[in-house]
């Protein structure tokens, strides 16, 4: 520093001390620009060297310039301030670019001064400073931290400057050329565009983004800045820098471009997860979610943008975007809408997977599904432990709500899709409960709320509770008080609910003494409550606890504590047996079910305790004196005043029979361990039972003062008494049958006694069924089976020996014959049961009882265990159906096809039993076990705990193919004996349809296993249609079964199997890879049978209506021979037309779904297509061509359906299905309009010509002929209306009412058709107009 400079500094310092800033400014004004600049530079350098941060001289210069400005010397002040600001900015830029950039408050004072004097600067100074900073950004890619608050105000000031003439030098050397005139707004736009085009240093990117974001930006500038920040995300080298950058984007979105910013953020993280899916990334994503949630709370429009993104993306959501939506759902304003979106996403994904699998004709042309909801939910649940904790509660709420909605079927998707979604959500809840302790209380509370309020899904949630207890009992123990609180309200809950809830909580009952004491107290209070419903619920709870305790005994861990618990609960049960008759009825029913379980029969403490309860009760009603008319005092069980039953003796005897059988069985644990006194008591009880059976077998109806021709209705006192007495006697005899069958199987009783008891049961039951009628003389009791109490286990034991498997009987090495002794035992039991087998009525009764049990279990899956269902299916096949299939070698036994009055043959019952078993196992997702259990039986399959492990898919398919072949052979043999066994063949077709449905499911979802199943179903479809085309009777049920089977197997008639063809991966579609080619005749083989069937039906209808000539079109439709009018009758044609219409609706619904996939495929191809590339959308075009060809292939069938020879109601169906066809075609055309890149193909033109010309003309002819009278009536002149009004005041005849209804129906049909045709034409006109060359 020179002497003159030192003197100047001294003078300025003295003026500063005197606060004479005006004179200081005057002094500075006399200096040159270089001198002032040097003063500032030296001061800044000296301050940096001393590390004091005071910058005294620089601050004095700023104050001096401001004072000159305030005193009216604006020009001088601006010069000084401009030089000082420019110098400071240059110095900051130079030091920030060096390696030793100062930290902390180095430039804090200077930055504040720059902000303070900014409004005082002249436009030229503002421009110079702005572009000096831009030059630094270009050079270093960084923005000094001192400019963080300064830059936004600087750019805003720049934007309001007027016209300025500038040169390249004014722009900091950024451009070359002459001078031009620009406005401040243009310069600001240029500055922002240039800044966004430069490379940003990673550590400074957030600072630059913040500076640009805080600037007042136009809409286009917001888009530019937003895109630049999104690009910068890909350049971030450290994951920790991402949250700050994303937060700047979210703040920027407040000013606009929300949708683009949201989409860009999600796309970035989607790509990042594919390359760096680590725990560190999950933590960063969790921080970003917090930023997103906070930003949405500050700006609700951002939440709406996120919601819109979710709706647009549909099934393209990633785990991160899905989690962000869950975070959005935590905000009350968006909760309902977001939950609705995610619910539909989960269900629609499962639904689309099912439809995709079943739509075989389009599968090779569809793009691969982009969303796997199972993996999605699993990922979110797992990552909740690594930074995503805030979404866990929303995830739990989503799963709970989805289960509610799918169980109640509030979402219009298939039942299978809803069931799969329920399983998925349940698994997710189970995972969340195991991983996150902070949601456990909420999950338990939600389960209990649904249980106490009896929602549609409450049983499903009880199943979830059972799984939670089984997984980790300690995790549930802390919430047992909530379960007790719910059980306090058992009066408002169904008994089945209480039973299931206590079964779920049973391990807690045995493990937690405090919970056990509270629960027993609750049950005791409920058992003696005033309300009957509450007592029934308490009984169900008691038996659930008894069952759980006894199962511990079967497991071998029964100790004194468990014995004390069992005796305490049995004590409560003993007290319940003294209550009202309806309570005792429930108690005996539950006790009979308990005594049917093998684990209960293996628990001596239970059996001994029950004997002590039931034996004294038996002694009250058993009459030892043989001079009495009945061994049981029936009149003692009836109230003499009201003739109502006061003692449910039938249920009691059934329980006592099972108990005595268990106690006196030679293999019983109790018999082997009891003392001589107990054994003699049990022997005495068995003798009493044998005496009871003998006396009941000899009893007559007159012994009970009953008249076969008497009154049994409930309208009179006599009828009530007769009805009560008959029911009691029937129940007692049925209990005796149960005992006699059990003892007869072991050889302890004469089998003839069982037949005698059954004859007695049949006589009494037939009288009661025939005489017990309602006020319209209709039977109240439809079948004798409704009165039977024979258990499922007893029925199956009997059926196994009266309908034996001949291979097992003749081969000691059969899998079910574990050893020689078991084979000998089975042979001996079969020999003893010959008398039973000879009585066809008895065998049919037992078979129907077993079928009734299985049919009832369709609604309550826990009624019949799976192994019993499998055993019934095995008996039905091996004992009956296989005899029918092998009828060529060995004729069908007469007892299998014999029918009694108002009854079915054993073949019919067996066929219905096989179909019912398949239906029940399908509902339990276990139908794959059935063919293996039937074709390869083993003891493990029918064990009480069920199959230890499910069979492999290949074994299941192999056995199912063999089973289908056998059942089909059986149908052929039965039809060969037509018309005698027509009903049997029809019933067996129903079972065949159930089996074929499983094979079709395997082909759809497991293409690798398709070969054998495909061949089997292809052959089955051809066989079914050949049967229709052959000589069979015109029986509507038989025809329905054959057509339904043809429709089920229809996809397997494709000219080339497509089940192994996978969908197209658009992202990996190379330039030389192309999807499967589309051929014109691809649908000919598949749709040919249905086409010929509908055409033949149309011809038959014309012949039956005596219209031999018919229309020219109808004559040209078929060159076939005249149909068999014994098959196509006035009874069968309506059924066939209805089936064809139903099938066509299913086909059109599949097409509607594929059209939706076409829209998604076209959008995806457009996104993946490179910019400025106008190449055709090859995948979408082929899919659209396949759609058009499929639609074109259906038009001949619609041509037949639009026959004028059908009756009125059949014509209505034709018009409706043609309206649906137009609706599908309009949807296809509208999709082409939305995706303008899809060209008008030749296939579309052919389809258009066929539908909108040929079929429309045919439809107009049908409407004119069938509904012309309607149109004339609808266009009555106004002059006739007053007369009509007067007539309408008179009573109308039934014919007038029918005519009015017909006119109303026709009006809807015709108007809907015309509207849909006009809509299709409107879309077609737009499509052709948009695609003109």
């Amino acid at each position: 520093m020179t002497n003159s400079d030192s003197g100047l500094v001294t003078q300025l310092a003295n003026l500063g001390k005197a606060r004479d800033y005006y004179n200081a400014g005057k002094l500075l004004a006399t200096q040159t620009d270089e001198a002032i600049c040097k003063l500032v530079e030296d001061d800044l350098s000296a301050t940096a060297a001393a590390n004091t941060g005071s910058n005294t001289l620089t601050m004095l210069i700023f104050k001096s310039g401001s004072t000159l400005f305030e005193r009216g010397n604006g020009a001088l002040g601006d010069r000084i301030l401009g030089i000082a600001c420019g110098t400071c900015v240059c110095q900051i830029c130079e030091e920030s670019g060096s390696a030793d950039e100062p930290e902390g408050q180095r430039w804090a004072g200077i930055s504040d001064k720059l902000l303070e004097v900014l409004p005082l600067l002249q436009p030229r100074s503002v421009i110079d400073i702005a572009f000096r900073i831009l030059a630094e950004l270009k050079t270093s890619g960084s923005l000094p931290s001192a400019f963080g608050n300064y830059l936004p105000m600087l750019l805003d000031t720049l934007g309001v400057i007027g016209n300025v003439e500038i040169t390249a030098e004014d722009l900091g050397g950024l451009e070359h050329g002459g001078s031009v005139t620009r406005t401040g707004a243009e310069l600001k736009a240029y500055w922002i565009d240039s800044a966004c085009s430069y490379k940003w240093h990673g550590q400074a990117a957030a600072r630059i983004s913040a500076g640009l974001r805080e600037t007042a930006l136009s809409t286009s500038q917001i888009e530019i800045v937003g895109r630049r920040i999104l690009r910068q995300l890909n350049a971030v080298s450290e994951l920790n820098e991402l949250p700050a950058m994303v937060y700047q984007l979210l703040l920027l979105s407040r000013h606009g471009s929300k949708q683009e910013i949201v989409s860009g953020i999600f796309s970035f993280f989607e790509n990042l997860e594919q390359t760096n899916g680590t725990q560190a990334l999950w933590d960063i994503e969790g921080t970003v979610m917090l930023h997103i949630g906070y930003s949405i709370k500050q700006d609700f429009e951002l939440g709406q943008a996120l919601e819109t993104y979710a709706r647009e993306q549909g099934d393209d959501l990633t785990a991160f975007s899905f989690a962000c939506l869950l975070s959005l759902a935590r905000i009350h304003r968006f909760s309902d809408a977001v939950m609705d979106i995610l619910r539909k996403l989960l269900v629609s994904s499962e639904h689309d997977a099912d439809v995709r699998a079943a739509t075989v004709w389009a599968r090779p042309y569809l793009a691969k599904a982009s969303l796997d909801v199972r993996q999605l939910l699993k990922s979110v649940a797992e990552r909740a432990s690594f930074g995503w904790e805030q979404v866990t509660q929303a995830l739990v709420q989503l799963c709970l709500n989805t289960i509610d909605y799918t169980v109640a079927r509030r979402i219009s998707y298939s039942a299978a899709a809803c069931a799969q979604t329920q399983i998925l959500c349940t698994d997710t809840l189970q995972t969340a409960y195991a991983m996150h302790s902070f949601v456990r209380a909420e999950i338990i509370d939600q389960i209990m709320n649904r249980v106490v309020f009896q929602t549609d899904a409450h049983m499903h949630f009880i199943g979830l509770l059972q799984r939670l207890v089984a997984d980790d009992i300690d995790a549930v123990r802390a919430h047992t008080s909530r379960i007790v609180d719910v059980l306090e309200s058992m009066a408002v809950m169904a008994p089945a609910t209480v039973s299931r809830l206590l079964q779920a909580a049973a391990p807690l009952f045995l493990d937690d003494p405090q919970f056990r004491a509270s629960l027993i107290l609750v049950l005791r209070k409920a058992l003696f409550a005033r309300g009957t419903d509450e007592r029934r619920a308490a009984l169900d709870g008691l038996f659930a606890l008894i069952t759980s305790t006894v199962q511990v005994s079967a497991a071998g861990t029964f100790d004194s504590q468990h014995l004390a618990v069992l005796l305490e609960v049995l004590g409560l049960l003993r007290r319940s047996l003294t209550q009202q008759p309806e309570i005792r009825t429930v108690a005996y029913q539950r006790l009979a079910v308990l005594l049917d379980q093998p684990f209960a029969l293996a628990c001596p403490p239970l059996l001994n305790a029950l004997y002590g309860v039931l034996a004294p009760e038996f002694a009250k009603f058993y009459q030892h004196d043989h001079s009495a008319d009945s061994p049981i005092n029936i009149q003692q069980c009836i109230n003499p005043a009201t003739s109502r039953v006061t003692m449910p003796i039938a249920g009691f005897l059934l329980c006592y029979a099972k108990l005595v059988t268990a106690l006196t069985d030679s293999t019983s644990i109790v018999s082997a361990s009891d003392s001589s006194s107990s054994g003699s008591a049990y022997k005495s009880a068995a003798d009493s039972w044998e005496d009871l059976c003998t006396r009941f077998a000899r009893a007559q109806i007159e012994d009970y003062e009953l008249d076969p021709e008497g009154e049994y209705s409930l309208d009179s006192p006599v009828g009530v008494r007769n009805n009560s007495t008959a029911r009691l006697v029937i129940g007692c005899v049925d209990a005796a049958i149960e005992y006699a069958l059990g003892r007869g199987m072991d050889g302890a009783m004469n089998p003839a006694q069982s037949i005698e008891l059954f004859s007695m049961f049949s006589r009494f039951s037939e009288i009661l069924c025939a005489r017990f009628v309602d006020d319209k003389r209709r039977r109240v009791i439809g079948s004798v089976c409704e009165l039977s109490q024979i258990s499922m286990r007893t029925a199956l034991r009997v059926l196994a020996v009266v309908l034996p498997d001949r291979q097992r009987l003749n081969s000691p090495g059969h899998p079910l014959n574990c050893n020689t002794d078991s084979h000998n035992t089975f042979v001996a039991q079969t020999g003893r049961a010959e008398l039973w087998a000879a009585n066809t009525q008895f065998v049919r009764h037992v078979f129907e009882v077993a079928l009734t049990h299985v049919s009832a279990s369709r609604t309550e899956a826990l009624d019949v265990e799976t192994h019993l269902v499998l055993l019934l299916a095995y008996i039905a096949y091996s004992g009956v159906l296989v005899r029918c299939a092998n009828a060529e070698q060995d004729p069908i036994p007469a007892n299998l096809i014999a029918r009694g009055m108002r009854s079915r043959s054993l073949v019919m019952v067996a066929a219905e039993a096989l179909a019912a078993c398949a239906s029940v196992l399908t509902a339990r997702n276990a139908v794959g076990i059935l063919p293996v259990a039937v074709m390869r039986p083993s003891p493990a399959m029918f064990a009480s705990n069920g199959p230890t492990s499910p069979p492999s898919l290949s074994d299941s398919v192999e056995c199912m193919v063999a089973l289908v072949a056998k059942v089909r052979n059986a149908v052929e043999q039965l039809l060969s004996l037509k018309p005698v066994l027509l009903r049997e063949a029809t019933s067996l077709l129903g079972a065949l349809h159930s089996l074929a449905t499983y094979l079709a499911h395997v082909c759809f979802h497991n293409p690798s296993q398709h070969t054998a199943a495909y061949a089997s179903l292809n052959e089955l479809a051809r066989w079914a249609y050949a049967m229709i085309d052959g000589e069979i009777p015109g029986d509507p049920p038989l025809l329905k079964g054959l057509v339904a089977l043809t429709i089920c197997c229809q996809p397997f008639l494709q000219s080339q199997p497509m089940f192994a063809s996978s969908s197209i991966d658009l992202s990996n579609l190379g330039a030389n890879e192309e999807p499967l080619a589309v051929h014109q005749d691809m649908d000919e083989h598949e749709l040919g049978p249905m086409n010929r069937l509908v055409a033949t039906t149309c011809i038959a209808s014309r012949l039956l209506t005596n219209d031999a000539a018919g229309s020219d079109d109808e004559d040209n439709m078929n060159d076939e021979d005249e149909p068999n009018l014994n098959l196509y009758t006035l009874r069968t044609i309506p059924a066939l037309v209805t089936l064809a219409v139903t099938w066509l609706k299913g086909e059109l619904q599949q097409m509607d779904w594929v059209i939706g996939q076409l829209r998604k495929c076209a959008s995806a191809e457009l996104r993946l297509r490179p910019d400025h590339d106008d190449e055709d959308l090859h995948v979408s075009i082929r899919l659209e061509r396949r759609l058009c060809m499929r639609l074109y292939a259906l038009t001949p069938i619609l041509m037949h359906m639009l026959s004028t020879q059908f009756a009125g109601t059949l014509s209505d169906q034709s018009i409706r299905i043609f309206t649906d066809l137009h609706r599908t075609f309009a949807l296809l055309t509208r999709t082409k309009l939305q995706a303008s890149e899809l060209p008008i193909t030749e296939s579309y033109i052919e389809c258009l010509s066929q539908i909108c010309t040929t079929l429309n003309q045919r439809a107009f002819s049908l409407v004119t002929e069938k509904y012309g009278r309607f149109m004339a009536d609808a266009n009555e002149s106004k002059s006739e209306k007053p007369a009509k009004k007067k007539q309408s005041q008179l009573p109308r005849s039934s014919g007038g009412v029918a005519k009015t209804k017909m006119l109303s129906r026709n009006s809807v049909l015709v108007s809907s058709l015309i509207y849909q045709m006009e809509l299709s034409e409107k879309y077609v006109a737009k499509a052709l107009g948009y695609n003109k060359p």
Side-chain angles (χ1 to χ4, degrees), residues 559-883:
D559 54 21
S560 58
Q561 179 183 357
H562 294 120
L563 178 61
V565 172
L566 177 62
L567 295 178
E568 183 177 8
V569 178
L570 287 176
L572 291 177
L573 177 63
R574 179 197 296 267
R575 299 179 67 178
S576 69
L577 297 179
T578 61
Q579 297 186 359
Q580 300 99 318
E582 53 268 27
I583 300 300
R584 282 182 282 175
T585 300
V586 174
Y588 292 137
Q589 289 174 351
R590 301 294 184 269
L591 187 56
V593 172
L594 176 64
L595 290 173
D596 249 345
Q597 306 299 324
F599 59 80
L601 302 180
C603 181
L606 173 68
L607 299 180
N608 292 328
L610 289 178
Y611 182 79
V613 174
L614 299 183
E617 194 74 9
F618 178 75
K620 295 180 182 178
F621 298 94
Y622 176 61
Q623 300 186 116
H624 296 272
D625 188 1
H626 283 223
S627 61
D629 295 330
S630 172
I632 297 296
N633 190 345
I634 299 295
Q635 298 306 320
Q636 188 179 349
C637 304
I638 300 176
N639 188 330
T642 61
S643 299
R644 300 289 181 179
V645 175
T646 58
M647 170 59 184
I649 191 65
F652 166 77
L653 288 180
L654 183 66
C655 297
Y656 193 56
K658 293 177 181 293
L659 180 62
V660 173
T661 302
L663 291 171
T664 56
D665 185 5
S666 59
T667 60
S668 171
I669 298 177
V670 179
S671 299
S673 60
D674 274 342
S675 61
S676 58
S677 59
S678 299
S680 61
Y682 300 154
K683 182 63 172 61
S684 176
D687 294 339
S688 300
W689 260 107
E690 293 181 6
D691 175 66
L692 184 146
C693 293
T694 303
R695 293 166 65 185
F696 264 128
R698 296 196 304 261
Q700 299 297 324
I701 192 171
E702 292 80 8
D703 296 340
Y704 303 96
E705 301 179 0
L706 294 175
D707 182 5
E709 302 297 329
E711 179 67 33
Y712 287 82
S713 299
L714 303 180
D715 299 333
S716 63
V718 175
V720 173
R721 186 188 66 82
N722 290 341
N723 194 302
S724 300
T725 304
R727 285 181 179 274
L728 289 175
V729 174
I730 290 171
C732 292
V733 174
D734 199 41
I737 293 175
E738 176 91 10
Y739 180 81
L741 289 175
R743 302 294 287 167
M745 290 283 294
D746 300 332
M749 287 185 67
N750 186 358
Q753 198 166 49
S754 301
I755 299 299
E756 294 174 357
L757 287 169
F758 173 71
S759 300
M760 174 72 175
F761 172 84
S762 299
R763 289 197 302 271
F764 276 79
S765 299
E766 286 295 337
I767 292 172
L768 182 60
C769 291
R771 303 299 300 173
F772 184 21
V773 295
D774 58 14
D775 53 354
K776 295 183 180 180
R777 309 303 298 172
R778 293 177 301 190
R779 289 192 175 197
V780 176
I781 303 174
S783 171
V784 174
C785 295
E786 298 179 20
L787 298 172
S788 179
Q789 301 180 94
I790 296 178
S791 66
M792 182 73 174
R793 293 178 184 274
T794 301
L796 291 178
R797 287 186 64 196
V798 173
L799 290 174
V801 295
V802 298
L803 298 172
D805 182 352
R806 290 190 299 176
Q807 292 184 356
R808 180 186 179 188
L809 195 63
N810 300 329
S811 173
H814 190 273
L816 291 182
N817 296 325
C818 302
N819 48 49
T820 305
D821 293 338
S822 64
H823 175 253
N824 295 335
T825 301
F826 179 69
V827 172
Q829 289 178 343
T830 305
R832 287 194 293 268
E834 288 181 352
L835 183 62
W836 296 346
N839 191 320
T840 305
Q841 185 182 1
F842 170 75
V843 177
R844 185 189 304 115
H845 171 75
V846 177
F847 213 154
E848 289 178 341
V849 169
L851 176 59
T852 301
H853 282 289
V854 172
S855 299
S857 69
R858 296 181 188 179
T859 55
E860 187 61 45
L862 294 179
D863 277 354
V864 178
E865 294 89 338
T866 298
H867 70 279
L868 297 181
V869 177
L870 293 173
L871 183 56
L872 177 61
Y874 164 72
I875 293 172
Y877 171 77
S878 62
V880 180
L881 300 182
V882 74
R883 305 287 295 273

Side-chain angles (χ1 to χ4, degrees), residues 7 184 210 364 394 416 536 675 709 730 737 749 807 844 891 981 1017 1023 1116 1129 1197 1287 1332:
R536 290 178 178 174
S675 61
E709 302 297 329
I730 290 171
I737 293 175
M749 287 185 67
Q807 292 184 356
R844 185 189 304 115
L981 301 181
L1017 291 171
W1023 170 82
N1116 294 331
T1129 66
I1197 302 176
Q1287 293 179 7
K1332 286 182 179 179

Side-chain angles (χ1 to χ4, degrees), residues 103-280:
E103 301 291 339
Q105 301 296 321
R106 171 74 175 87
W107 299 106
I110 298 297
S111 178
D112 292 341
K113 272 300 177 184
L114 289 174
L115 282 172
E116 180 181 337
V117 304
L118 180 60
L120 307 179
L121 298 180
Q122 292 297 317
R124 182 66 59 180
S125 299
V126 173
I127 294 172
D128 292 342
I129 293 172
F131 282 93
R132 176 63 183 88
I133 295 175
L134 182 61
E136 175 65 21
L137 178 59
K138 178 183 180 181
T139 304
S140 65
S142 176
L143 180 69
S145 58
F147 297 149
N149 297 326
Y150 181 65
L151 180 63
M153 293 189 63
L154 176 64
L155 293 178
D156 291 342
T157 304
L158 178 63
V160 298
I161 295 175
N163 293 332
V164 180
E165 184 177 353
I166 59 173
T167 63
E169 294 180 357
D170 296 328
L171 301 181
L174 299 174
E175 288 188 353
H176 302 282
S179 63
V180 293
T181 301
R182 292 287 184 267
T183 64
E186 292 174 338
L187 292 175
K188 176 182 178 181
Y190 173 82
W191 198 102
I192 293 174
D193 290 343
S194 300
C196 291
S197 65
Y198 300 152
K199 182 180 179 180
W200 296 353
H201 191 275
Q203 295 180 352
R207 194 159 54 246
I208 299 172
S209 302
L212 293 174
R213 184 259 308 166
E214 293 177 3
T215 305
L217 303 173
S218 64
T219 302
S220 60
Q221 291 168 352
I222 291 173
E223 295 177 358
I224 294 172
V225 174
R227 286 195 293 267
R228 180 61 185 88
I229 300 176
L230 286 171
R231 289 200 310 272
Q232 185 63 27
L233 292 178
N234 295 307
V236 172
S237 58
E238 297 291 337
L239 290 177
N240 293 332
E241 300 174 5
L242 286 175
M245 293 293 296
V246 173
Y247 186 61
Q248 294 303 323
L249 276 170
L250 296 172
L251 293 177
L252 177 65
S253 69
R254 296 184 183 183
H255 307 295
S257 298
K258 292 179 173 60
Q259 204 64 51
E260 293 78 6
I261 290 174
V262 166
S263 178
I265 292 173
F266 289 150
S267 298
F268 167 75
F269 279 101
E270 177 183 0
N271 297 330
L272 189 60
E273 285 184 350
Q274 295 175 359
T275 59
N276 187 12
T278 61
Q279 180 180 339

Side-chain angles (χ1 to χ4, degrees), residues 1035-1279:
D1035 182 64
L1038 178 63
L1039 273 176
K1040 285 183 180 180
L1042 288 172
V1043 174
L1045 191 59
T1046 303
I1047 293 174
C1048 174
C1049 304
Q1050 166 211 324
F1052 306 90
L1053 291 172
Q1054 285 276 351
S1055 57
Q1056 50 180 329
M1058 297 183 182
F1059 294 90
S1061 302
S1062 59
S1063 300
I1064 302 168
D1065 188 354
L1066 293 177
S1067 60
N1068 295 328
L1069 188 64
N1072 298 323
E1073 295 183 41
E1074 292 187 355
L1076 192 66
V1078 184
H1079 302 294
Q1080 191 69 34
D1081 60 345
M1082 296 183 70
D1083 299 310
E1084 180 179 351
H1085 292 79
E1086 179 184 349
L1087 303 180
M1090 289 302 299
N1091 189 8
R1092 292 191 293 272
L1093 177 64
V1094 175
T1096 307
T1097 304
C1098 180
I1099 297 173
S1101 177
R1102 188 178 70 219
L1103 295 176
L1104 290 172
T1105 55
N1106 297 321
D1107 185 6
S1111 65
D1112 294 337
D1113 291 338
E1114 290 170 353
D1115 290 336
N1116 294 331
M1117 283 191 300
N1118 299 282
D1119 296 328
E1120 303 175 0
D1121 297 332
E1122 291 186 357
N1124 178 13
L1125 295 183
N1126 292 326
L1127 174 62
Y1128 296 91
T1129 66
L1130 293 177
R1131 292 179 62 245
T1132 59
I1133 286 178
L1136 291 175
V1137 172
T1138 301
L1139 285 172
V1141 169
T1142 304
W1143 168 73
L1144 282 171
K1145 285 183 178 179
E1147 287 289 323
L1148 293 177
Q1149 288 173 358
Q1150 279 190 354
M1151 288 188 180
D1152 292 343
W1153 182 84
V1154 176
I1155 292 171
Q1157 298 302 306
L1158 172 62
R1159 186 185 305 113
K1160 296 179 181 179
C1161 181
S1163 300
E1165 272 196 284
L1166 284 174
R1167 289 197 304 267
L1168 295 173
R1169 191 170 68 177
D1171 295 338
H1172 312 295
D1173 186 357
D1174 56 354
E1175 185 180 357
D1176 289 340
L1177 307 180
H1178 296 292
V1179 178
S1180 301
I1181 291 174
R1182 283 176 173 80
L1183 178 58
E1184 186 255 350
R1185 189 175 297 162
R1186 183 70 185 94
L1187 259 169
C1188 292
M1189 288 185 177
R1190 184 73 173 187
L1191 197 58
Y1192 184 84
L1194 291 178
T1195 54
I1197 302 176
L1198 266 295
M1199 181 69 75
H1200 303 319
M1201 292 295 300
L1202 294 174
S1203 171
T1204 58
Q1205 307 304 322
F1206 289 145
T1209 55
L1210 298 184
S1211 297
D1212 292 349
Q1213 295 191 54
S1214 301
I1215 292 297
R1216 288 192 181 96
I1217 195 62
F1218 184 61
T1219 303
D1220 292 340
L1221 176 69
H1222 260 289
R1223 186 176 293 110
T1224 299
F1225 185 70
L1227 182 61
L1228 173 60
T1229 308
R1230 188 171 58 185
T1231 300
K1232 292 176 69 66
L1233 285 173
Q1234 295 172 350
S1236 57
E1237 292 79 5
L1238 289 177
I1240 299 297
T1241 61
E1242 183 180 351
S1243 301
Y1244 177 80
I1245 294 298
E1246 292 177 354
C1247 195
L1248 169 65
S1249 174
Q1250 187 73 1
I1251 294 175
C1252 293
T1253 303
T1254 308
L1255 287 180
N1256 276 2
Q1257 293 175 356
R1258 187 118 180 131
F1260 277 124
S1261 300
L1262 176 62
V1263 169
T1264 303
E1265 181 169 340
K1266 291 291 183 180
Y1267 305 99
R1269 180 60 181 274
F1270 146 71
M1271 299 175 70
D1273 293 339
N1275 295 322
E1276 289 179 328
S1277 62
K1278 295 183 179 180
S1279 60

Side-chain angles (χ1 to χ4, degrees), residues 885-976:
N886 300 330
E888 291 183 353
Q889 296 82 14
D890 186 9
I892 303 175
N895 68 315
L896 298 184
I897 58 178
R899 301 179 193 163
M901 185 177 299
R902 298 177 60 86
S903 63
R904 301 168 288 183
S905 66
L906 288 176
V907 174
M908 289 180 63
V909 179
E912 293 176 9
L914 184 60
C917 292
S919 176
V920 170
L921 293 174
T922 300
R924 303 181 188 181
N925 199 25
V927 70
I929 309 175
L930 185 143
V932 180
V934 169
M935 304 303 293
R936 299 177 185 173
S938 63
M941 282 287 177
F942 310 126
S944 59
N945 56 354
T948 55
S949 60
S952 65
L953 183 60
S954 57
D955 290 343
S956 180
V957 170
E958 182 181 353
C959 293
M960 185 63 85
V961 169
L963 179 59
V964 166
K966 280 291 186 181
V967 175
R968 193 189 73 185
N969 291 339
V971 175
E972 290 178 344
Q973 296 302 321
L974 293 174
L975 287 177
S976 66

